[in-house]
Amino acid sequence: MSYIKKNFLNIIIIILGCITILIVNNKAENILDIDSSAIKTRPDNTFNQVKYIAMDDKGMPLYTVMSPVMKQYFENEVIETVKPKILLFRKNKPPSKIISDFGLIAYKRSNVKLSGNVNMYFKETSNAPFLKLNTEEIYIYLNEQLAVTDSEVYINKKNSFLNGIGMKSSLMQGEFIIFEKTRGKYVK
């Protein structure tokens, strides 16, 4: 008889222990519960087959972006683009064409970050040959007309080339400074 009382008492203790663990675990989950409204992962607007035109204060176009998909986030003032094609207007020069796999445009700060097979095409004059720049990631500061990257860069114009790692470029002056492992060949 004492054996049955002992086993019954052990079963009651085990059941109470399990109930206690479930209650504590449930309270812990409630305390650590995250308010899903605090996490913003969805865009405010999504557009398909878009052409976006950015203007300066005087109504002059700064750049245009064409993209099959654009997502706008109001809170951080960013536009995400897929496969963007950008025409960047430069004062008294032909526009520069830029294409990439992905882009982030901070439209109020006038900055653009492009990544994934970035190709930029420049002409100093309408009669000049194209200069092509290829890299994996680049930041463009539109107000300063400056392009910067830490990635490997390859620049080609006619039969001349310049490559290396890291670059700073004045888009207005057409000057390119390669930071590391610079190699090149100039052909007239």
Side-chain angles (χ1 to χ4, degrees):
M1 186 79 160
S2 86
Y3 176 75
I4 294 175
K5 283 184 183 180
K6 195 176 186 184
N7 283 340
F8 182 71
L9 187 59
N10 285 338
I11 291 173
I12 297 291
I13 290 172
I14 290 172
I15 291 172
L16 288 175
C18 288
I19 292 172
T20 304
I21 289 171
L22 289 173
I23 291 171
V24 169
N25 190 32
N26 190 31
K27 286 192 178 206
E29 284 181 9
N30 288 340
I31 291 170
L32 297 175
D33 196 21
I34 297 173
D35 180 16
S36 63
S37 67
I39 301 172
K40 182 117 173 127
T41 57
R42 292 191 332 204
D44 295 299
N45 293 303
T46 300
F47 307 99
N48 294 318
Q49 301 302 324
V50 179
K51 184 171 184 179
Y52 172 78
I53 302 171
M55 306 275 196
D56 67 10
D57 295 337
K58 298 174 185 168
M60 298 300 294
L62 296 171
Y63 60 93
T64 64
V65 181
M66 289 176 45
S67 175
V69 177
M70 261 188 204
K71 297 177 182 178
Q72 182 182 27
Y73 298 85
F74 282 128
E75 192 169 309
N76 59 3
E77 299 172 341
V78 169
I79 296 173
E80 285 183 3
T81 62
V82 175
K83 299 281 186 193
K85 294 178 183 175
I86 299 172
L87 273 181
L88 177 62
F89 299 103
R90 302 179 299 157
K91 189 175 181 181
N92 300 323
K93 297 193 183 228
S96 298
K97 180 181 178 183
I98 309 166
I99 58 173
S100 70
D101 292 335
F102 185 75
L104 289 172
I105 302 166
Y107 52 89
K108 294 235 175 148
R109 295 181 299 280
S110 298
N111 298 332
V112 177
K113 176 186 175 187
L114 300 168
S115 57
N117 195 26
V118 180
N119 289 292
M120 300 175 76
Y121 302 90
F122 301 91
K123 273 188 166 189
E124 286 304 307
T125 64
S126 58
N127 298 335
F130 272 107
L131 179 142
K132 180 185 177 192
L133 181 145
N134 177 265
T135 188
E136 275 305 304
E137 182 176 79
I138 198 159
Y139 295 87
I140 301 171
Y141 301 95
L142 297 168
N143 292 337
E144 295 81 12
Q145 290 287 299
L146 185 68
V148 179
T149 185
D150 291 329
S151 301
E152 190 171 340
V153 177
Y154 187 83
I155 302 169
N156 185 6
K157 184 176 181 181
K158 285 180 131 183
N159 296 323
S160 301
F161 76 90
L162 181 64
N163 66 347
I165 298 174
M167 178 206 69
K168 181 178 179 181
S169 172
S170 167
L171 301 176
M172 285 306 295
Q173 302 299 322
E175 298 173 346
F176 299 88
I177 299 169
I178 306 290
F179 299 135
E180 297 177 26
K181 299 183 181 180
T182 305
R183 291 186 26 215
K185 175 177 131 181
Y186 177 73
V187 178
K188 269 191 170 183

